[in-house]
Amino acid sequence: MLLFLVFSYFALYYIRPTEWVPGLIGTPVLMVFGIFSILFIGFGVISRKFPNVLDGQTERTMFGLLAAIVLSHLSHFYIRGALDSFNSFLPAITGFFLVICFIDNRKRANVFLLLLIMLTTYLAYEGYLQITTGFSHGGMEPYYDNKIMADGEIVKIPRIRWYGVFNDPNDLGLALVLVIPFLLDMLLHRRFIVPLVSLPIITFAIYLTNS
């Protein structure tokens, strides 16, 4: 079950089908998976299946950070802001604890890294589509920066992006660069297939973010 939740949640978070796939647009699929994941982790903590979830300083800090975000709005009675901030930060909290619960050995760490590389490669491919065809799946077009040349001419510089949290090219660039060290590590350990497929397109996509 935990493997299914990890794969499903991160696939939904990266691919974001509820923002561009007809029939799914606007549906709370990610939220449903998130709530189910939190309940699953909660029951696991109670039953001591995940005994280390609340033991570490980092884990406790995440709860403190979430509380600080909410209280920063409630301190001046901005309830709507508190709810919006809670909803915005909750997916990150959920993903963090899914990873904490799932990765308890080297094999599982490698499985998760492979998932992350696959999803990042997908984002890179969508960015490539934006540059070569003008738009990616769902109709997402690149963001254009205006650059003034020496002769005064204004040139539009395309910068690839994706939906949701990846809509800013800089944020997409951060997501893309995250897996580069792991791909290089695979090359150093003579595991060539995944890096040779993913590394070129991800590196090119980082360049296309113009970040």
Short mmCIF file of all heavy atoms in Angstrom, two decimals, residues 122-172:
data_model
loop_
_atom_site.label_atom_id
_atom_site.label_comp_id
_atom_site.label_asym_id
_atom_site.label_seq_id
_atom_site.Cartn_x
_atom_site.Cartn_y
_atom_site.Cartn_z
N TYR A 122 9.93 13.40 -17.56
CA TYR A 122 8.65 13.76 -18.18
C TYR A 122 8.49 15.28 -18.24
O TYR A 122 8.07 15.83 -19.27
CB TYR A 122 7.50 13.13 -17.40
CG TYR A 122 6.14 13.55 -17.91
CD1 TYR A 122 5.58 12.93 -19.03
CD2 TYR A 122 5.42 14.58 -17.31
CE1 TYR A 122 4.35 13.32 -19.53
CE2 TYR A 122 4.19 14.98 -17.78
CZ TYR A 122 3.66 14.34 -18.90
OH TYR A 122 2.43 14.74 -19.39
N LEU A 123 8.80 15.96 -17.15
CA LEU A 123 8.71 17.42 -17.15
C LEU A 123 9.65 18.01 -18.20
O LEU A 123 9.29 18.99 -18.88
CB LEU A 123 9.07 17.97 -15.76
CG LEU A 123 8.15 17.64 -14.60
CD1 LEU A 123 8.59 18.39 -13.35
CD2 LEU A 123 6.70 17.96 -14.92
N ALA A 124 10.84 17.45 -18.31
CA ALA A 124 11.80 17.94 -19.30
C ALA A 124 11.26 17.74 -20.72
O ALA A 124 11.41 18.63 -21.58
CB ALA A 124 13.14 17.22 -19.13
N TYR A 125 10.64 16.60 -20.96
CA TYR A 125 10.07 16.34 -22.28
C TYR A 125 8.96 17.32 -22.61
O TYR A 125 8.86 17.83 -23.74
CB TYR A 125 9.54 14.91 -22.33
CG TYR A 125 8.74 14.60 -23.58
CD1 TYR A 125 9.37 14.51 -24.82
CD2 TYR A 125 7.36 14.41 -23.52
CE1 TYR A 125 8.64 14.23 -25.97
CE2 TYR A 125 6.63 14.14 -24.65
CZ TYR A 125 7.28 14.05 -25.88
OH TYR A 125 6.55 13.80 -27.01
N GLU A 126 8.11 17.62 -21.63
CA GLU A 126 7.05 18.59 -21.86
C GLU A 126 7.63 19.97 -22.19
O GLU A 126 7.09 20.71 -23.01
CB GLU A 126 6.14 18.68 -20.62
CG GLU A 126 5.31 17.44 -20.36
CD GLU A 126 4.22 17.23 -21.40
OE1 GLU A 126 3.95 18.15 -22.19
OE2 GLU A 126 3.62 16.13 -21.42
N GLY A 127 8.72 20.32 -21.53
CA GLY A 127 9.39 21.58 -21.85
C GLY A 127 9.95 21.59 -23.25
O GLY A 127 9.87 22.60 -23.97
N TYR A 128 10.50 20.46 -23.67
CA TYR A 128 11.00 20.33 -25.04
C TYR A 128 9.88 20.53 -26.05
O TYR A 128 10.05 21.20 -27.08
CB TYR A 128 11.65 18.96 -25.21
CG TYR A 128 12.02 18.62 -26.63
CD1 TYR A 128 13.15 19.17 -27.22
CD2 TYR A 128 11.23 17.75 -27.39
CE1 TYR A 128 13.49 18.86 -28.54
CE2 TYR A 128 11.55 17.44 -28.70
CZ TYR A 128 12.68 18.00 -29.27
OH TYR A 128 13.00 17.70 -30.57
N LEU A 129 8.68 19.99 -25.75
CA LEU A 129 7.55 20.18 -26.63
C LEU A 129 7.16 21.65 -26.75
O LEU A 129 6.79 22.12 -27.84
CB LEU A 129 6.34 19.38 -26.14
CG LEU A 129 6.39 17.86 -26.28
CD1 LEU A 129 5.11 17.23 -25.73
CD2 LEU A 129 6.58 17.45 -27.73
N GLN A 130 7.26 22.38 -25.65
CA GLN A 130 6.90 23.81 -25.68
C GLN A 130 7.79 24.58 -26.64
O GLN A 130 7.32 25.47 -27.35
CB GLN A 130 7.02 24.41 -24.27
CG GLN A 130 5.93 23.97 -23.31
CD GLN A 130 6.11 24.58 -21.93
OE1 GLN A 130 6.68 25.66 -21.79
NE2 GLN A 130 5.61 23.89 -20.92
N ILE A 131 9.07 24.24 -26.66
CA ILE A 131 10.00 24.97 -27.51
C ILE A 131 9.88 24.55 -28.98
O ILE A 131 9.96 25.38 -29.89
CB ILE A 131 11.45 24.75 -27.02
CG1 ILE A 131 11.63 25.34 -25.63
CG2 ILE A 131 12.46 25.36 -27.99
CD1 ILE A 131 11.35 26.83 -25.53
N THR A 132 9.62 23.27 -29.22
CA THR A 132 9.61 22.77 -30.60
C THR A 132 8.25 22.93 -31.27
O THR A 132 8.18 23.09 -32.50
CB THR A 132 10.02 21.29 -30.63
OG1 THR A 132 9.16 20.53 -29.76
CG2 THR A 132 11.47 21.13 -30.19
N THR A 133 7.16 22.87 -30.51
CA THR A 133 5.83 22.95 -31.11
C THR A 133 5.06 24.20 -30.67
O THR A 133 4.01 24.50 -31.24
CB THR A 133 4.99 21.71 -30.76
OG1 THR A 133 4.69 21.71 -29.35
CG2 THR A 133 5.74 20.43 -31.12
N GLY A 134 5.54 24.89 -29.63
CA GLY A 134 4.86 26.08 -29.15
C GLY A 134 4.01 25.84 -27.91
O GLY A 134 3.61 26.78 -27.24
N PHE A 135 3.72 24.57 -27.62
CA PHE A 135 2.93 24.26 -26.42
C PHE A 135 3.14 22.79 -26.06
O PHE A 135 3.50 21.97 -26.91
CB PHE A 135 1.44 24.54 -26.66
CG PHE A 135 0.86 23.82 -27.84
CD1 PHE A 135 0.32 22.55 -27.71
CD2 PHE A 135 0.87 24.41 -29.11
CE1 PHE A 135 -0.21 21.88 -28.79
CE2 PHE A 135 0.34 23.73 -30.20
CZ PHE A 135 -0.20 22.48 -30.04
N SER A 136 2.89 22.48 -24.81
CA SER A 136 3.00 21.10 -24.34
C SER A 136 1.59 20.54 -24.16
O SER A 136 0.60 21.16 -24.54
CB SER A 136 3.78 21.06 -23.02
OG SER A 136 3.17 21.89 -22.05
N HIS A 137 1.49 19.36 -23.57
CA HIS A 137 0.17 18.76 -23.35
C HIS A 137 -0.68 19.67 -22.48
O HIS A 137 -0.19 20.27 -21.52
CB HIS A 137 0.31 17.39 -22.68
CG HIS A 137 0.82 16.34 -23.62
ND1 HIS A 137 2.13 15.97 -23.65
CD2 HIS A 137 0.18 15.59 -24.55
CE1 HIS A 137 2.30 15.03 -24.57
NE2 HIS A 137 1.14 14.77 -25.13
N GLY A 138 -1.94 19.78 -22.82
CA GLY A 138 -2.84 20.66 -22.09
C GLY A 138 -2.81 22.08 -22.59
O GLY A 138 -3.57 22.93 -22.12
N GLY A 139 -1.93 22.37 -23.55
CA GLY A 139 -1.87 23.71 -24.13
C GLY A 139 -0.96 24.69 -23.40
O GLY A 139 -0.99 25.89 -23.70
N MET A 140 -0.16 24.22 -22.47
CA MET A 140 0.76 25.10 -21.75
C MET A 140 1.81 25.67 -22.70
O MET A 140 2.50 24.92 -23.40
CB MET A 140 1.44 24.36 -20.60
CG MET A 140 2.51 25.16 -19.88
SD MET A 140 1.89 26.64 -19.06
CE MET A 140 1.01 25.89 -17.67
N GLU A 141 1.92 26.99 -22.76
CA GLU A 141 2.90 27.66 -23.59
C GLU A 141 4.05 28.16 -22.73
O GLU A 141 3.89 28.37 -21.53
CB GLU A 141 2.25 28.84 -24.32
CG GLU A 141 1.13 28.43 -25.26
CD GLU A 141 0.49 29.64 -25.94
OE1 GLU A 141 0.85 30.79 -25.57
OE2 GLU A 141 -0.35 29.43 -26.82
N PRO A 142 5.22 28.36 -23.32
CA PRO A 142 6.34 28.87 -22.53
C PRO A 142 6.09 30.31 -22.09
O PRO A 142 5.29 31.03 -22.68
CB PRO A 142 7.53 28.79 -23.50
CG PRO A 142 6.92 28.75 -24.85
CD PRO A 142 5.60 28.08 -24.71
N TYR A 143 6.78 30.70 -21.04
CA TYR A 143 6.76 32.09 -20.58
C TYR A 143 7.79 32.87 -21.40
O TYR A 143 8.86 32.35 -21.71
CB TYR A 143 7.11 32.15 -19.10
CG TYR A 143 7.25 33.54 -18.54
CD1 TYR A 143 6.14 34.27 -18.15
CD2 TYR A 143 8.51 34.13 -18.39
CE1 TYR A 143 6.26 35.54 -17.63
CE2 TYR A 143 8.64 35.40 -17.87
CZ TYR A 143 7.52 36.10 -17.50
OH TYR A 143 7.64 37.37 -17.01
N TYR A 144 7.46 34.09 -21.75
CA TYR A 144 8.37 34.88 -22.59
C TYR A 144 8.90 36.08 -21.83
O TYR A 144 8.14 36.88 -21.28
CB TYR A 144 7.66 35.35 -23.86
CG TYR A 144 7.40 34.24 -24.85
CD1 TYR A 144 6.19 33.54 -24.85
CD2 TYR A 144 8.37 33.88 -25.78
CE1 TYR A 144 5.96 32.51 -25.76
CE2 TYR A 144 8.14 32.85 -26.70
CZ TYR A 144 6.94 32.18 -26.68
OH TYR A 144 6.71 31.15 -27.56
N ASP A 145 10.23 36.19 -21.79
CA ASP A 145 10.89 37.37 -21.25
C ASP A 145 11.23 38.32 -22.39
O ASP A 145 11.64 37.88 -23.48
CB ASP A 145 12.19 36.98 -20.53
CG ASP A 145 11.98 36.69 -19.06
OD1 ASP A 145 10.93 37.10 -18.53
OD2 ASP A 145 12.85 36.04 -18.46
N ASN A 146 11.06 39.60 -22.15
CA ASN A 146 11.46 40.60 -23.13
C ASN A 146 12.90 41.04 -22.85
O ASN A 146 13.22 41.48 -21.75
CB ASN A 146 10.53 41.82 -23.08
CG ASN A 146 9.14 41.49 -23.57
OD1 ASN A 146 8.96 40.67 -24.47
ND2 ASN A 146 8.14 42.12 -22.98
N LYS A 147 13.77 40.90 -23.85
CA LYS A 147 15.16 41.30 -23.72
C LYS A 147 15.46 42.40 -24.73
O LYS A 147 15.21 42.25 -25.93
CB LYS A 147 16.09 40.10 -23.95
CG LYS A 147 17.56 40.44 -23.77
CD LYS A 147 18.44 39.20 -23.95
CE LYS A 147 19.90 39.54 -23.72
NZ LYS A 147 20.77 38.34 -23.88
N ILE A 148 15.98 43.51 -24.24
CA ILE A 148 16.32 44.64 -25.11
C ILE A 148 17.75 44.48 -25.60
O ILE A 148 18.70 44.43 -24.81
CB ILE A 148 16.16 45.98 -24.35
CG1 ILE A 148 14.72 46.13 -23.83
CG2 ILE A 148 16.51 47.15 -25.28
CD1 ILE A 148 14.50 47.39 -23.04
N MET A 149 17.91 44.40 -26.92
CA MET A 149 19.23 44.22 -27.51
C MET A 149 19.95 45.56 -27.59
O MET A 149 19.40 46.62 -27.30
CB MET A 149 19.09 43.61 -28.91
CG MET A 149 18.24 42.35 -28.95
SD MET A 149 18.87 41.03 -27.87
CE MET A 149 20.35 40.56 -28.80
N ALA A 150 21.23 45.52 -27.99
CA ALA A 150 22.06 46.72 -28.06
C ALA A 150 21.50 47.74 -29.04
O ALA A 150 21.65 48.95 -28.85
CB ALA A 150 23.49 46.35 -28.45
N ASP A 151 20.84 47.26 -30.09
CA ASP A 151 20.29 48.18 -31.09
C ASP A 151 18.88 48.64 -30.73
O ASP A 151 18.22 49.31 -31.52
CB ASP A 151 20.29 47.53 -32.47
CG ASP A 151 19.48 46.23 -32.50
OD1 ASP A 151 18.94 45.84 -31.44
OD2 ASP A 151 19.40 45.59 -33.57
N GLY A 152 18.42 48.30 -29.55
CA GLY A 152 17.10 48.71 -29.10
C GLY A 152 15.98 47.75 -29.46
O GLY A 152 14.84 47.93 -29.03
N GLU A 153 16.30 46.73 -30.22
CA GLU A 153 15.28 45.74 -30.61
C GLU A 153 14.88 44.90 -29.40
O GLU A 153 15.73 44.50 -28.60
CB GLU A 153 15.80 44.85 -31.72
CG GLU A 153 14.80 43.80 -32.19
CD GLU A 153 15.38 42.85 -33.21
OE1 GLU A 153 16.58 42.99 -33.53
OE2 GLU A 153 14.64 41.97 -33.68
N ILE A 154 13.59 44.65 -29.27
CA ILE A 154 13.07 43.81 -28.18
C ILE A 154 12.90 42.38 -28.69
O ILE A 154 12.19 42.14 -29.67
CB ILE A 154 11.74 44.35 -27.64
CG1 ILE A 154 11.93 45.75 -27.06
CG2 ILE A 154 11.17 43.41 -26.58
CD1 ILE A 154 10.64 46.38 -26.56
N VAL A 155 13.57 41.46 -28.04
CA VAL A 155 13.51 40.05 -28.42
C VAL A 155 12.83 39.26 -27.31
O VAL A 155 13.14 39.45 -26.13
CB VAL A 155 14.92 39.49 -28.67
CG1 VAL A 155 14.85 38.00 -29.01
CG2 VAL A 155 15.63 40.26 -29.77
N LYS A 156 11.90 38.41 -27.69
CA LYS A 156 11.19 37.58 -26.72
C LYS A 156 11.97 36.28 -26.51
O LYS A 156 12.21 35.54 -27.47
CB LYS A 156 9.76 37.29 -27.19
CG LYS A 156 8.85 38.52 -27.18
CD LYS A 156 7.43 38.14 -27.53
CE LYS A 156 6.50 39.34 -27.43
NZ LYS A 156 6.39 39.85 -26.05
N ILE A 157 12.34 36.02 -25.26
CA ILE A 157 13.09 34.82 -24.91
C ILE A 157 12.14 33.81 -24.26
O ILE A 157 11.58 34.08 -23.19
CB ILE A 157 14.23 35.15 -23.93
CG1 ILE A 157 15.11 36.27 -24.47
CG2 ILE A 157 15.04 33.90 -23.63
CD1 ILE A 157 15.83 35.91 -25.75
N PRO A 158 11.93 32.65 -24.90
CA PRO A 158 11.01 31.66 -24.30
C PRO A 158 11.66 30.95 -23.12
O PRO A 158 12.86 30.64 -23.14
CB PRO A 158 10.75 30.69 -25.45
CG PRO A 158 11.98 30.77 -26.30
CD PRO A 158 12.47 32.20 -26.19
N ARG A 159 10.86 30.68 -22.10
CA ARG A 159 11.31 29.95 -20.92
C ARG A 159 10.26 28.89 -20.60
O ARG A 159 9.09 29.21 -20.39
CB ARG A 159 11.49 30.89 -19.73
CG ARG A 159 12.44 32.04 -19.99
CD ARG A 159 12.52 32.97 -18.80
NE ARG A 159 13.10 32.29 -17.63
CZ ARG A 159 13.08 32.81 -16.40
NH1 ARG A 159 12.50 33.98 -16.17
NH2 ARG A 159 13.63 32.13 -15.40
N ILE A 160 10.67 27.63 -20.58
CA ILE A 160 9.70 26.55 -20.38
C ILE A 160 9.18 26.54 -18.95
O ILE A 160 9.85 27.00 -18.01
CB ILE A 160 10.31 25.18 -20.73
CG1 ILE A 160 11.48 24.84 -19.79
CG2 ILE A 160 10.75 25.15 -22.18
CD1 ILE A 160 11.98 23.42 -19.95
N ARG A 161 8.00 25.98 -18.78
CA ARG A 161 7.37 25.88 -17.47
C ARG A 161 6.38 24.72 -17.50
O ARG A 161 6.19 24.08 -18.52
CB ARG A 161 6.66 27.20 -17.13
CG ARG A 161 5.67 27.64 -18.20
CD ARG A 161 5.02 28.95 -17.84
NE ARG A 161 4.13 29.42 -18.90
CZ ARG A 161 3.22 30.36 -18.73
NH1 ARG A 161 3.06 30.95 -17.55
NH2 ARG A 161 2.45 30.75 -19.74
N TRP A 162 5.72 24.51 -16.37
CA TRP A 162 4.71 23.46 -16.28
C TRP A 162 3.59 23.97 -15.40
O TRP A 162 3.57 25.15 -15.01
CB TRP A 162 5.34 22.16 -15.77
CG TRP A 162 4.47 20.94 -15.83
CD1 TRP A 162 4.16 20.10 -14.81
CD2 TRP A 162 3.80 20.39 -16.98
NE1 TRP A 162 3.35 19.07 -15.23
CE2 TRP A 162 3.11 19.24 -16.58
CE3 TRP A 162 3.70 20.78 -18.31
CZ2 TRP A 162 2.34 18.45 -17.43
CZ3 TRP A 162 2.94 20.01 -19.17
CH2 TRP A 162 2.27 18.87 -18.73
N TYR A 163 2.67 23.13 -15.05
CA TYR A 163 1.49 23.55 -14.29
C TYR A 163 1.78 23.64 -12.79
O TYR A 163 2.74 23.07 -12.30
CB TYR A 163 0.33 22.59 -14.54
CG TYR A 163 -0.18 22.60 -15.96
CD1 TYR A 163 0.36 21.74 -16.91
CD2 TYR A 163 -1.18 23.48 -16.35
CE1 TYR A 163 -0.10 21.75 -18.21
CE2 TYR A 163 -1.64 23.50 -17.66
CZ TYR A 163 -1.09 22.63 -18.59
OH TYR A 163 -1.54 22.67 -19.89
N GLY A 164 0.90 24.35 -12.10
CA GLY A 164 0.93 24.38 -10.64
C GLY A 164 2.21 24.96 -10.07
O GLY A 164 2.64 26.05 -10.44
N VAL A 165 2.84 24.21 -9.17
CA VAL A 165 4.04 24.69 -8.49
C VAL A 165 5.22 24.84 -9.43
O VAL A 165 6.23 25.45 -9.06
CB VAL A 165 4.42 23.75 -7.33
CG1 VAL A 165 3.36 23.76 -6.25
CG2 VAL A 165 4.65 22.32 -7.83
N PHE A 166 5.13 24.30 -10.64
CA PHE A 166 6.20 24.40 -11.62
C PHE A 166 5.92 25.47 -12.68
O PHE A 166 6.60 25.52 -13.71
CB PHE A 166 6.42 23.06 -12.32
CG PHE A 166 6.60 21.91 -11.37
CD1 PHE A 166 5.64 20.92 -11.26
CD2 PHE A 166 7.74 21.81 -10.57
CE1 PHE A 166 5.80 19.85 -10.39
CE2 PHE A 166 7.91 20.75 -9.70
CZ PHE A 166 6.94 19.77 -9.61
N ASN A 167 4.95 26.32 -12.42
CA ASN A 167 4.56 27.31 -13.43
C ASN A 167 5.62 28.38 -13.63
O ASN A 167 5.71 28.96 -14.71
CB ASN A 167 3.22 27.95 -13.06
CG ASN A 167 2.61 28.74 -14.19
OD1 ASN A 167 2.56 29.96 -14.18
ND2 ASN A 167 2.15 28.02 -15.22
N ASP A 168 6.38 28.67 -12.60
CA ASP A 168 7.49 29.61 -12.73
C ASP A 168 8.70 28.86 -13.30
O ASP A 168 9.08 27.81 -12.77
CB ASP A 168 7.83 30.19 -11.35
CG ASP A 168 8.86 31.31 -11.43
OD1 ASP A 168 9.94 31.10 -12.03
OD2 ASP A 168 8.58 32.40 -10.88
N PRO A 169 9.31 29.35 -14.37
CA PRO A 169 10.47 28.65 -14.95
C PRO A 169 11.59 28.41 -13.94
O PRO A 169 12.30 27.40 -14.04
CB PRO A 169 10.93 29.60 -16.06
CG PRO A 169 9.69 30.35 -16.45
CD PRO A 169 8.93 30.53 -15.17
N ASN A 170 11.77 29.33 -12.98
CA ASN A 170 12.80 29.14 -11.96
C ASN A 170 12.49 27.94 -11.07
O ASN A 170 13.38 27.16 -10.71
CB ASN A 170 12.95 30.39 -11.10
CG ASN A 170 13.47 31.57 -11.89
OD1 ASN A 170 14.31 31.42 -12.78
ND2 ASN A 170 12.97 32.75 -11.59
N ASP A 171 11.22 27.78 -10.71
CA ASP A 171 10.81 26.63 -9.88
C ASP A 171 10.95 25.33 -10.66
O ASP A 171 11.35 24.30 -10.10
CB ASP A 171 9.38 26.82 -9.39
CG ASP A 171 9.26 27.99 -8.42
OD1 ASP A 171 10.25 28.31 -7.74
OD2 ASP A 171 8.18 28.60 -8.37
N LEU A 172 10.60 25.37 -11.94
CA LEU A 172 10.79 24.18 -12.76
C LEU A 172 12.27 23.84 -12.86
O LEU A 172 12.65 22.66 -12.78
CB LEU A 172 10.21 24.41 -14.16
CG LEU A 172 10.41 23.26 -15.16
CD1 LEU A 172 9.79 21.98 -14.65
CD2 LEU A 172 9.83 23.63 -16.53
#
